[in-house]
Amino acid sequence: MGKEALDRLRKTEPAEYLSPSSELSRLARAASSHLYSSLVPFCPTKPPLHQLLSEESFDAEQIWSQIDLLSKPLLPFLRRHLARLEKQSNLHSFLPRPTLKSTATEDGDEEKEEELYSEELELELDDEEEEEKGDEDEENEEEKDEDEEEGEAKGVEDKFLKIKELEKFLEDGEAKEYGLSVQNNKIDLDDKDNESNDDEEDAFDLEDLDGDSEEEVANEMENARYEDFFGRQSNKGAQKKSSSKKVKFDDRPQVKEIEYQESDDENENENDENNLSTHEKESAKLRSTIEEMERANLEPKSWTMIGEVTAGKRPVNSALEVDLDFEHNVKPAPVITEEVTASLEELIKKRIIDGQFDDVQRALTLPTKAPRESKELDESKSKKGLAEIYEEEYAQTAMHATAPISVSDELKKEAEMLFKKICSKLDALSHFHFAPKPVIEDMSIQANVPALAMEEIAPIAVSDAAMLAPEEIFQGKGDIKEERELSRSDRKRRRANKKRRFKTDTVKRAAKKPRPTTDANGKS
Amino acid sequence: MELPASSAAMETEANGPPPSSAVAPSAAPPKPLFQALKPHEMSDGKIQFRKVPVPPNRFAPLKKNWMEIYTPIYEQMKVDIRMNLKAKRVELKTRHDTPDVSHLQKCADFVNAFMLGFDICDALALLRLDDLYVDSFEIKDVKTLRGEHLSRAIGRLSGKGGKTKFAIENSTRTRIVIADTKIHILGSFVNIKVARDSLCSLILGSPAGKVYSKLRAVSARLAEQY
């Protein structure tokens, strides 16, 4: 009943599928259930449903999900089976082309077929993840469309060129390419299997029919070279088919070439390496690493490996991406937290309470010389008359009589000295400020003699230290330069100063010269 | 002609043999001895006068201090002095026992200084010391000032309560009299110069502090000389 439904579906015109028809849907449901039940015995795990529930009430979605449930465990099983069979196969012979239902395209040209192939490749490239779903979506559609497409474009096809086969072949090739690249990393793809099982019935029938021979064909497809077609046969026995469980329907020259262009490079190396011993493999790996390192050594190093790099030698903003480690000579700024602030405030309060401020106290500079006795200007009317002043003066100079120091002054001076002594002693006891001994100016003449001459009678070692300090011997100011040390500008300055001084001196001398003055009487 | 005659007379008195006789060459004629000329003899026995006019504002002080003026002049300088009220003058005259001609001049200077405004005790120095002078000048000699500027200049010269003037006096050992626009300085030549410089700088407008600093330096230097 199911097979009949399938046949009838095939026979219906494609145009009839466009409009919803209950008859067609009934047929489709019957066909689906037939397929389902035929696949059930092959399922490795216990299928959830033995019969497809395809009553009128069930939606397409629901039917599809049931099919999905069945196919999910089935596909890996089939894949594994295929892989096993591939290992066993050793045949070179090309299989006769199986007759398949072909999908009719609107244009039957070969170019269009290639376009279609490339389009499908692109589509599959883009939607790899959704491929499974998409493919399985296509399932139902294609089941329905099968019969539609059957009748179309019969003119293009013959027993050799089946467009549908072509399409499928292209898809498989594409999948295989990806399967190959994935296989190298030892990951299996599910979607490729789905693709190959687009039309479950057909695919599976094909597999059943062709079995080993198809795998052999796949082998041949991968490993075939120019020689296979046009020359001596290469040693294919050792070459292992590493393709996935893809089913290769057919080999067409143009397809083959395209496929080879894509998958050639990937196949070569693996096939050579697959048959090496462990040691050879290891040495090969070692050699490759050595080569890599040598290549890296020859190439210019990255900027991080060169010693000193200026900004011009490295790319822009590259220092931001690298973790630079350098010494910070500056202490990092302290992070001001609440605790820090609180501690500071506490310290301030404590200090205020204690009255302990770190005030800077002025350090008194010691007087190097005794302060000059400066005569205070008396701003009051002098009590002595002018005559008395001169009288005193005369008395001092002429009679050499010292001015009588009044008794009170002497007493005052003595009292002052005593008080100063006591004050200094008390100061020294009361605070830590160092106060040196007060300078008592003595009027004594110091001659510029060597120090030892004054201090010792028999000097053991003669020192050249003089009694007078250097600044007392020499009183000049600034940087004293010798004749040799003067720069050009200094010399010029000196000369200019000398000239200026000379000029002023001449003017003064001219002024000092007794000018002819006239007396009141007119006598000179 | 009198002189040779008197000398000849003296010679005849002193020497026995006439100078014409060259018989005794060993006996030289004795040198003549002349007595010092008396002041009045120097001026041919004439009496000299000095007349010092009295300005109206000095009448009262003159009358008040007359005895202080009179006593040193008459007693120590031996110069006659009288006051001529009608002519408003003080007249001075030498006596026959005035020791020196310059005494009269000194007394005249003394009286003149008093008339200018100096104190008796200050003016007395003129009598005692030779090399004291009185120098006078006017403010307009230094700088032409009119109206308030003049008043301010006078004020600057004196200072508050006269302290600037006293400062100058004390530091330079002079005496200064500021009579309106006339300034009189009494002292020795060097001191007069210093005082005059200070006063001129005050007239020209420098502040008192600046003048003080200069004075201090100068006075220290002057003091170091002794």
Side-chain angles (χ1 to χ4, degrees):
Chain A
M1 180 346 199
K3 278 199 174 152
E4 293 162 12
L6 269 175
D7 292 332
R8 281 184 62 189
L9 279 173
R10 279 182 208 158
K11 283 169 189 162
T12 51
E13 295 290 315
E16 291 181 23
Y17 281 109
L18 292 170
S19 55
S21 141
S22 59
E23 173 76 21
L24 278 175
S25 77
R26 193 177 56 79
L27 288 171
R29 283 172 204 273
S32 320
S33 57
H34 169 73
L35 287 169
Y36 189 92
S37 42
S38 61
L39 282 171
V40 158
F42 299 103
C43 190
T45 60
K46 192 172 177 302
L49 297 163
H50 291 274
Q51 290 279 40
L52 186 71
L53 303 166
S54 58
E55 274 76 46
E56 293 297 327
S57 54
F58 285 99
D59 202 6
E61 194 61 42
Q62 289 165 331
I63 293 170
W64 154 243
S65 53
Q66 290 173 48
I67 294 168
D68 193 25
L69 275 173
L70 175 69
S71 62
K72 261 208 166 56
L74 193 59
L75 288 169
F77 169 73
L78 293 171
R79 210 179 297 130
R80 264 174 288 169
H81 202 65
L82 258 179
R84 224 180 303 127
L85 291 170
E86 280 169 16
K87 283 182 195 164
Q88 292 167 8
S89 82
N90 271 330
L91 299 173
H92 296 275
S93 62
F94 295 103
L95 298 164
R97 289 173 196 159
T99 55
L100 282 174
K101 296 209 170 67
S102 60
T103 54
T105 55
E106 292 174 4
D107 306 323
D109 292 335
E110 288 186 359
E111 292 142 0
K112 282 292 178 182
E113 284 171 3
E114 287 178 9
E115 281 178 16
L116 193 66
Y117 173 64
S118 57
E119 279 173 23
E120 284 188 348
L121 273 176
E122 285 170 20
L123 283 169
E124 280 147 14
L125 279 166
D126 290 336
D127 305 327
E128 214 172 336
E129 286 180 16
E130 297 175 13
E131 227 170 324
E132 183 178 358
K133 193 167 189 217
D135 289 339
E136 294 181 325
D137 274 334
E138 283 172 33
E139 258 185 80
N140 285 334
E141 288 176 2
E142 279 196 17
E143 286 177 56
K144 290 173 190 169
D145 290 339
E146 254 182 324
D147 296 332
E148 286 182 0
E149 293 161 353
E150 215 181 336
E152 287 181 354
K154 287 282 186 178
V156 183
E157 297 178 342
D158 53 0
K159 65 171 178 174
F160 295 103
L161 179 66
K162 307 272 189 265
I163 292 177
K164 198 174 175 190
E165 272 179 34
L166 170 69
E167 280 182 20
K168 284 197 185 124
F169 182 76
L170 295 173
E171 287 171 8
D172 293 335
E174 172 60 36
K176 203 193 87 172
E177 186 189 327
Y178 279 102
L180 274 178
S181 60
V182 168
Q183 176 94 22
N184 289 336
N185 303 331
K186 299 196 175 133
I187 295 169
D188 289 337
L189 290 173
D190 291 333
D191 43 2
K192 297 304 164 195
D193 290 334
N194 287 339
E195 189 188 348
S196 64
N197 296 329
D198 264 346
D199 195 357
E200 271 181 22
E201 177 201 20
D202 290 342
F204 197 69
D205 287 343
L206 277 171
E207 280 179 3
D208 283 336
L209 288 169
D210 298 328
D212 291 343
S213 57
E214 286 209 356
E215 291 162 5
E216 287 169 23
V217 168
N219 258 336
E220 300 307 310
M221 297 303 288
E222 284 177 340
N223 307 327
R225 299 272 188 276
Y226 171 87
E227 293 88 16
D228 296 334
F229 296 105
F230 305 109
R232 56 173 178 84
Q233 287 185 348
S234 52
N235 185 14
K236 296 288 187 311
Q239 286 171 3
K240 178 193 156 190
K241 179 185 181 284
S242 63
S243 76
S244 58
K245 15 317 149 201
K246 227 61 41 70
V247 176
K248 295 294 163 224
F249 293 124
D250 226 346
D251 44 333
R252 294 166 208 273
Q254 67 267 29
V255 171
K256 245 192 224 171
E257 285 166 10
I258 293 163
E259 191 216 345
Y260 285 163
Q261 284 162 22
E262 290 171 22
S263 63
D264 206 17
D265 293 339
E266 291 153 22
N267 293 336
E268 265 183 34
N269 293 334
E270 333 164 358
N271 296 327
D272 293 330
E273 286 173 4
N274 288 337
N275 302 317
L276 296 171
S277 66
T278 337
H279 177 262
E280 283 178 342
K281 278 190 214 160
E282 277 177 26
S283 60
K285 227 184 271 175
L286 198 64
R287 242 181 289 128
S288 65
T289 50
I290 289 169
E291 269 179 37
E292 243 181 74
M293 290 169 79
E294 283 179 353
R295 220 184 310 124
N297 276 347
L298 288 172
E299 280 168 6
K301 294 185 189 171
S302 76
W303 71 268
T304 49
M305 288 299 155
I306 310 172
E308 281 187 19
V309 183
T310 58
K313 291 204 181 106
R314 57 178 168 81
V316 179
N317 289 340
S318 56
L320 295 171
E321 292 140 20
V322 178
D323 241 345
L324 293 173
D325 181 27
F326 50 90
E327 277 182 26
H328 298 266
N329 291 330
V330 188
K331 259 203 271 182
V335 177
I336 305 293
T337 56
E338 277 190 35
E339 293 132 7
V340 172
T341 322
S343 68
L344 278 173
E345 283 172 2
E346 269 179 44
L347 176 71
I348 290 165
K349 283 184 209 162
K350 188 168 164 293
R351 286 288 189 93
I352 291 168
I353 290 162
D354 291 343
Q356 184 204 354
F357 309 109
D358 290 334
D359 286 341
V360 176
Q361 281 167 340
R362 183 171 278 278
L364 293 169
T365 53
L366 300 170
T368 49
K369 299 186 245 182
R372 260 199 192 172
E373 290 195 19
S374 57
K375 209 170 180 183
E376 280 289 323
L377 277 176
D378 191 13
E379 287 177 349
S380 60
K381 191 177 167 80
S382 69
K383 290 156 194 91
K384 301 181 216 167
L386 197 62
E388 284 153 4
I389 294 170
Y390 277 112
E391 186 187 323
E392 279 168 18
E393 221 183 279
Y394 175 74
Q396 272 190 4
T397 54
M399 310 293 193
H400 297 285
T402 54
I405 301 167
S406 56
V407 179
S408 62
D409 283 340
E410 260 198 28
L411 280 172
K412 273 189 192 169
K413 275 192 182 168
E414 208 183 315
E416 242 185 271
M417 286 298 296
L418 289 168
F419 186 65
K420 272 189 183 169
K421 277 186 190 165
I422 290 168
C423 273
S424 65
K425 284 183 184 165
L426 287 171
D427 285 342
L429 288 170
S430 61
H431 54 63
F432 276 131
H433 304 158
F434 169 69
K437 280 194 176 167
V439 176
I440 300 167
E441 272 297 311
D442 259 351
M443 283 284 287
S444 63
I445 299 166
Q446 283 218 347
N448 190 13
V449 281
L452 273 180
M454 299 287 284
E455 291 159 7
E456 275 183 45
I457 302 163
I460 298 161
V462 180
S463 89
D464 56 359
M467 285 295 281
L468 293 177
E471 55 263 23
E472 286 168 338
I473 299 167
F474 170 73
Q475 270 148 358
K477 31 178 193 165
D479 210 12
I480 310 299
K481 279 187 176 179
E482 267 196 341
E483 274 291 323
R484 275 177 277 141
E485 292 170 5
L486 292 172
S487 69
R488 192 147 173 264
S489 56
D490 289 333
R491 264 186 254 267
K492 282 185 177 259
R493 205 179 295 126
R494 283 203 182 185
R495 186 178 157 73
N497 284 336
K498 202 164 82 175
K499 282 171 94 174
R500 234 176 275 134
R501 259 182 277 131
F502 182 72
K503 272 193 194 150
T504 51
D505 282 347
T506 45
V507 166
K508 277 187 190 167
R509 253 184 278 129
K512 273 188 190 168
K513 259 192 202 165
R515 271 175 276 153
T517 53
T518 55
D519 206 1
N521 297 335
K523 289 182 191 170
S524 59
Chain B
M1 291 309 287
E2 282 180 344
L3 201 59
S6 59
S7 64
M10 282 185 178
E11 274 182 1
T12 49
E13 283 176 352
N15 306 335
S20 58
S21 66
V23 177
S26 57
K31 274 191 181 169
L33 279 167
F34 296 116
Q35 296 286 328
L37 275 175
K38 298 220 174 58
H40 67 271
E41 282 172 9
M42 260 221 283
S43 51
D44 299 331
K46 285 183 194 158
I47 292 168
Q48 298 197 4
F49 295 94
R50 293 285 186 274
K51 293 179 176 84
V52 180
V54 180
N57 59 324
R58 288 313 271 172
F59 260 122
L62 179 66
K63 281 181 190 170
K64 207 161 91 180
N65 300 325
W66 175 249
M67 283 318 291
E68 285 160 32
I69 297 170
Y70 175 84
T71 317
I73 290 176
Y74 191 79
E75 306 290 332
Q76 284 148 24
M77 303 307 276
K78 305 227 182 334
V79 169
D80 283 338
I81 181 169
R82 78 168 181 201
M83 194 170 14
N84 187 349
L85 286 166
K86 203 166 86 172
K88 297 190 182 62
R89 291 203 292 252
V90 171
E91 287 159 5
L92 298 148
K93 186 170 79 90
T94 55
R95 290 204 302 253
H96 61 276
D97 56 346
T98 311
D100 203 0
V101 179
S102 61
H103 285 207
L104 179 65
Q105 189 57 44
K106 276 188 185 177
C107 295
D109 286 338
F110 164 65
V111 174
N112 197 22
F114 178 78
M115 295 311 160
L116 286 176
F118 290 101
D119 279 343
I120 297 288
C121 49
D122 298 332
L124 264 177
L126 275 167
L127 282 179
R128 285 164 147 190
L129 293 164
D130 282 342
D131 57 350
L132 290 186
Y133 304 95
V134 176
D135 191 24
S136 313
F137 64 95
E138 284 193 56
I139 290 178
K140 70 178 183 210
D141 294 343
V142 181
K143 187 173 181 181
T144 314
L145 296 165
R146 276 186 281 272
E148 282 205 19
H149 302 297
L150 187 60
S151 317
R152 274 200 288 274
I154 296 166
R156 249 196 326 273
L157 285 170
S158 322
K160 193 165 186 170
K163 62 177 188 160
T164 314
K165 186 169 84 95
F166 294 138
I168 298 172
E169 284 181 1
N170 292 328
S171 56
T172 58
R173 282 198 299 245
T174 55
R175 290 292 175 264
I176 299 169
V177 165
I178 301 174
D180 221 1
T181 55
K182 290 193 183 64
I183 301 163
H184 313 283
I185 309 172
L186 169 72
S188 63
F189 182 71
V190 180
N191 294 337
I192 282 173
K193 191 160 175 292
V194 172
R196 194 174 58 225
D197 285 344
S198 314
L199 289 167
C200 287
S201 59
L202 279 169
I203 290 166
L204 289 169
S206 64
K210 208 166 189 179
V211 172
Y212 281 8
S213 55
K214 279 193 187 159
L215 274 177
R216 258 187 232 113
V218 167
S219 65
R221 199 158 24 91
L222 286 174
E224 279 172 21
Q225 286 174 3
Y226 298 100

